[in-house]
């Protein structure tokens, strides 16, 4: 037993390897390479603020399906006919939410808290209870402008993960030359297990708590994994509720529906940006995307839009992997048909599985499909050293945040596989978020063509600076000037991108100095 004296003693912290320290490895290498001022390094190596809070919500009554084995105990249970067709909301995990007075007026046969629906399955009736969810907002750095970054609803989130993602936003906004810093947050929740009205209640409560911490000139959220324009609309409404000057507050979130202040081109922006970078990679070699082959991991916002745009430029998609499985077609997948399949309301999991125009293969085989380009557009840490050893691709364009582990990076370099790092490849989203923010502030609305022209110029210009840093070819062209950023030797692309970010951020500390 610890004695009274040493009970409260805190042991000396040992630096241990975590997802965050792994993510920061490249930061430290870039800081060493450019001799980053020690105090700036201290400012940047940990976030400004780490907020953890809790959100509670009252859930609805629901029906939970029994396994066929367990259902045998209810062999004689007659079917319950539910009269109100809108009363039942089916979720991807098989549960059914009872909306309103779903069972009112129906012939209900309940036995020991169970009933049978016309689909033949037996369900346990689970009364709605209140539930608590853990929520986060990490505000990493604001030297260049307000904190900016997405809201993730996912079961596997942590402070460590949000720290890494928030820092990544600081680097990305610097690289994309948008006047923001970095932030990230969200809720530990699997949104597929909750009904629409439950998610609304959880989101409103989340914003109720978040409101003290953010603002259109302080910290501006956007969609990320598990959230979308609908969630952003709810967040905006909750933020503006009761405010007198609602019009100045619309810029509180980006990624909104165009009809309520969103920007044309925002939904596609991240996928579009990935493709602008890939186009520029090939343009540099005197080639185009026409006739090239590719695979995509993740077929959500980023993956599906990148796939569709690449398809439109004449490239062929041979395989797609998502959270539920992998599909493969050596002749090329019809992307428009696949998008329609995933969007079909009957496809509750929004999965590529079940698509008739392709065969199912194992995930391991997905990584080994020989193609020109792989676009990881799912979650972080998917390309491990082992995966990297087996890849049969020439280029990886990182649509996802942090898809490649540091160990895998070393393997890719050894194997000569080219890389367009996430902090430039997927910077299209935050760039068009910035355009949305400006349009809100100025009460303007730009056309999709205007947005895309600006986006293309911003990404290609900064990607070229990164390529020049990587090759150590300082130069000034009509489009870009890489002379202030090259470091006198060649460096790999991920390090080059980080060097660009750090030089731009460091300038603020050096020129403005530190507030005491
Ligand atoms: P999304 O929720 O729309 O889609 C995620 C996709 O990933 C789904 O198809 C899902 O099935 C798949 N997926 C999840 N877990 C998987 C697993 N273990 N294996 C394979 N596939 C899996 O999310 P999104 O907005 O498209 O974001 C995807 C990635 O892009 C994330 O890393 C996100 O941080 C990054 N990103 C998104 C944006 C944006 O504007 N949406 C901007 C920059 C970066």
């Amino acid at each position: 037993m610890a004695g009274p004296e040493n009970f409260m003693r805190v042991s000396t912290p040992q630096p241990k390897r975590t997802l965050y320290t792994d993510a920061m490895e490249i930061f430290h290498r870039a800081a060493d390479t450019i001799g980053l001022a020690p105090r700036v390094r201290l400012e940047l190596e940990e976030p400004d603020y780490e907020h953890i809070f809790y959100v509670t919500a009252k859930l609805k009554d629901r029906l939970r399906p029994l396994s066929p084995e367990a259902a045998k105990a209810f062999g004689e249970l007659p079917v319950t006919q539910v009269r109100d067709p809108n009363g039942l909301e089916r979720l991807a995990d098989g549960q059914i939410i009872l909306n309103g007075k779903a069972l009112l007026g129906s012939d209900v046969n309940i036995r020991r808290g169970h009933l049978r629906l016309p689909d033949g399955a037996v369900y346990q009736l689970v009364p709605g209870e209140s539930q608590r969810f853990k929520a986060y907002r990490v505000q990493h750095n604001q030297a260049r402008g307000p904190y900016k970054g997405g809201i993730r609803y996912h079961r596997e989130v942590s402070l460590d993960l949000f720290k890494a993602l928030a820092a990544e936003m600081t680097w990305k906004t610097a690289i994309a030359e948008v006047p923001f810093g970095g932030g990230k947050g969200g809720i530990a929740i699997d949104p597929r297990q909750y009904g629409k009205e439950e998610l609304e209640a959880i989101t409103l409560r989340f914003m109720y708590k978040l409101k003290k911490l953010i603002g259109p000139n302080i910290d501006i959220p956007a969609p990320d994994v598990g959230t979308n324009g609908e969630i952003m609309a709810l967040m905006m409404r909750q933020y503006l509720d009761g405010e007198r000057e609602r019009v100045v507050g619309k810029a509180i979130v980006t990624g909104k529906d165009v009809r309520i202040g969103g920007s044309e081109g925002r939904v596609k922006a991240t996928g579009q940006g990935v493709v602008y970078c890939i186009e520029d990679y090939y343009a540099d070699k005197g080639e185009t995307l026409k006739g090239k082959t590719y695979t995509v991991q993740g077929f959500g916002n980023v993956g599906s839009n990148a796939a569709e745009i690449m398809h439109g430029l004449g490239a062929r998609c041979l395989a797609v992997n998502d959270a539920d499985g992998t599909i493969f077609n050596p002749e090329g997948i019809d992307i428009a048909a696949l998008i329609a399949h995933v969007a079909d309301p009957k496809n509750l999991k929004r999965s590529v599985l079940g698509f008739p125009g392709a065969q199912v293969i194992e995930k391991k085989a997905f990584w080994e499909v020989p193609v020109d380009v792989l676009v990881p557009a799912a979650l972080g840490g998917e390309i491990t050293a082992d995966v990297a050893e087996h890849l049969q691709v020439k280029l990886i364009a990182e649509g996802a945040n942090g898809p490649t582990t540091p160990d895998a990076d070393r393997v890719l370099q050894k194997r000569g596989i080219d890389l367009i790092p996430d902090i430039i490849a997927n910077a299209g989203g935050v760039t068009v978020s910035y355009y949305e923010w400006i349009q809100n502030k100025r009460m303007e609305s730009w056309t999709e063509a205007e947005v895309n022209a600006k986006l293309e110029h911003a990404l290609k210009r900064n990607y070229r600076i990164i390529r020049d840093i990587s090759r150590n070819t300082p130069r000034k062209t009509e489009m870009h000037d890489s002379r202030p950023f090259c470091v006198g030797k060649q460096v790999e692309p991920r390090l080059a991108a980080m060097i660009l970010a750090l030089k731009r951020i460091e300038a603020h500390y050096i020129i403005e100095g530190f507030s005491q």
Side-chain angles (χ1 to χ4, degrees):
M1 272 267 295
E5 278 157 31
N6 63 13
F7 178 68
M8 297 294 282
R9 190 171 296 161
V10 178
S11 59
T12 322
Q14 295 294 324
K16 65 173 197 284
R17 200 174 154 181
T18 67
L19 190 148
Y20 183 62
T21 59
D22 267 9
M24 291 298 278
E25 198 185 298
I26 191 76
F27 160 80
H28 288 291
R29 285 181 49 214
D32 290 343
T33 308
I34 64 168
L36 185 71
R39 188 163 173 192
V40 178
R41 187 192 285 235
L42 288 177
E43 286 282 329
L44 290 170
E45 73 182 349
E46 291 291 341
D48 288 348
Y49 303 99
E50 299 169 359
H51 304 284
I52 295 183
F53 52 101
Y54 295 87
V55 173
T56 60
K58 172 87 168 71
L59 301 184
K60 295 183 168 221
D61 297 340
R62 58 192 65 217
L63 299 174
R64 190 171 293 154
L66 292 195
S67 67
E69 195 54 36
K72 283 186 188 153
F74 298 89
E76 303 299 310
L77 183 59
V79 167
T80 288
Q81 296 291 348
V82 178
R83 304 265 176 243
D84 175 6
N86 298 319
L88 302 185
E89 181 183 355
R90 285 182 184 273
L91 303 183
D93 66 353
Q95 293 189 74
I96 299 174
I97 304 285
L98 295 177
N99 278 325
K101 296 183 169 52
L103 299 179
L104 199 71
S106 306
D107 304 317
V108 185
N109 297 293
I110 296 184
R111 191 162 303 157
R112 283 182 279 124
H114 292 75
L115 55 77
R116 185 189 300 282
L117 289 184
D119 63 7
V122 176
Y123 293 81
Q124 182 191 5
L125 195 53
V126 183
E129 289 178 349
S130 294
Q131 197 173 331
R132 182 177 56 229
F133 303 89
K134 195 166 184 174
Y136 305 80
R137 185 71 183 170
V138 175
Q139 296 168 324
H140 178 259
N141 186 271
Q142 58 168 352
R144 299 184 59 266
Y147 304 107
K148 182 89 188 81
I151 297 293
R152 181 172 291 197
Y153 285 2
H154 196 266
R155 203 173 7 203
E156 285 156 32
V157 295
S158 63
L159 181 61
D160 214 43
L161 173 72
F162 284 128
K163 280 174 67 176
L165 293 171
E168 183 153 324
M169 288 306 294
T170 303
W171 322 139
K172 200 180 298 182
T173 48
I175 286 171
E177 283 184 297
V178 297
F180 293 133
K184 202 84 174 195
I187 310 181
I189 183 174
D190 180 353
R192 302 200 299 189
Q193 291 183 356
Y194 297 88
K196 200 169 174 320
E197 288 179 18
E198 289 175 334
L199 281 174
E200 175 169 345
I202 293 162
T203 300
L204 295 179
R205 191 71 183 169
F206 176 54
M207 186 47 129
Y208 172 81
K209 293 266 178 107
L210 199 59
K211 186 168 175 178
K212 302 171 192 56
L213 312 173
I214 68 171
N217 296 330
I218 299 170
D219 182 356
I220 306 124
D224 189 66
V225 175
T227 62
N228 53 24
E230 284 173 36
I231 300 284
M232 293 306 114
L234 293 170
M235 291 183 71
M236 180 174 83
R237 186 183 94 208
Q238 179 74 327
Y239 186 83
L240 296 178
D241 246 2
E243 294 293 330
R244 283 197 325 145
E245 298 184 20
R246 289 168 53 85
V247 69
V248 292
K250 271 187 178 259
I252 180 59
V253 287
T254 57
K256 302 181 288 284
D257 188 304
V258 174
R259 293 164 295 184
I260 61 165
S263 176
E264 294 288 352
R266 174 60 184 92
V267 172
K268 290 190 172 177
T270 306
Q272 178 69 71
V274 173
V275 184
Y276 282 144
C277 290
I278 299 173
E279 262 190 316
D280 208 55
Y281 167 90
Y282 281 117
D284 182 56
K285 296 176 178 295
E287 298 174 31
T288 68
L289 261 166
K290 198 167 170 53
K292 300 284 188 297
T293 53
Y294 63 101
T295 48
V296 183
Q297 187 195 31
F299 206 72
N301 174 296
V302 181
S304 66
N305 282 304
E308 189 180 29
I309 297 164
M310 288 172 81
H311 187 86
L313 293 171
R316 263 184 317 133
C317 178
L318 303 195
V320 180
N321 165 258
D322 72 10
D324 301 295
T326 308
I327 59 167
F328 170 68
N329 182 341
E331 303 304 318
I333 292 169
D334 179 345
I335 295 294
L338 182 60
I339 289 174
H341 169 78
V342 170
D344 186 335
K346 289 197 286 296
N347 185 351
L348 289 173
K349 287 190 168 176
R350 301 272 173 271
S351 173
V352 298
L353 283 189
F355 179 61
Q359 67 193 81
V360 173
I361 59 170
E362 289 295 315
K363 183 165 181 175
K364 191 169 174 297
F366 168 77
W367 297 120
E368 294 170 12
V369 177
V371 281
D372 295 300
V373 189
L374 161 66
V375 180
L379 299 183
E382 282 287 311
I383 303 177
T384 58
D386 183 49
V387 166
E389 287 287 0
H390 292 91
L391 289 175
Q392 303 298 321
V393 306
K394 297 181 187 127
L395 170 69
I396 298 176
E398 294 183 328
N401 284 315
T404 312
T405 66
D407 292 342
D409 258 344
R410 288 182 269 275
V411 176
L412 298 180
Q413 271 178 55
K414 182 191 78 188
R415 296 192 57 215
I417 295 175
D418 285 339
L419 177 84
I420 308 178
D422 50 3
I423 43 182
I424 179 71
N426 70 30
V430 75
T431 304
V432 178
S433 274
Y434 168 55
Y435 301 158
E436 177 175 338
W437 186 80
I438 302 183
Q439 290 172 71
N440 291 161
K441 294 253 169 199
R442 294 188 190 161
M443 289 190 259
E444 290 180 358
S445 59
W446 306 349
T447 64
E448 186 168 358
E450 276 177 271
V451 167
N452 281 345
K454 281 182 201 291
L455 175 66
E456 179 171 8
H457 184 268
L459 288 187
K460 289 188 176 175
R461 172 186 139 76
N462 286 300
Y463 180 39
R464 286 176 196 184
I465 296 177
I466 292 170
R467 274 207 312 259
D468 282 356
I469 301 171
S470 178
R471 294 171 182 165
N472 192 29
T473 51
R475 61 190 166 133
K476 182 171 172 16
T477 68
E478 247 179 40
M479 179 107 160
H480 75 290
D481 184 359
S482 57
R483 293 170 306 172
F485 304 109
C486 290
V487 290
K489 62 174 180 182
Q490 294 188 357
V491 292
E492 78 265 23
R494 198 184 300 286
L495 188 56
M498 186 60 85
I499 287 169
L500 175 60
L502 292 190
K503 286 201 167 203
R504 283 185 176 152
I505 298 164
E506 187 185 36
H508 282 260
Y509 286 104
I510 289 173
I511 299 166
E512 294 174 31
F514 291 86
S515 301
Q516 301 298 330

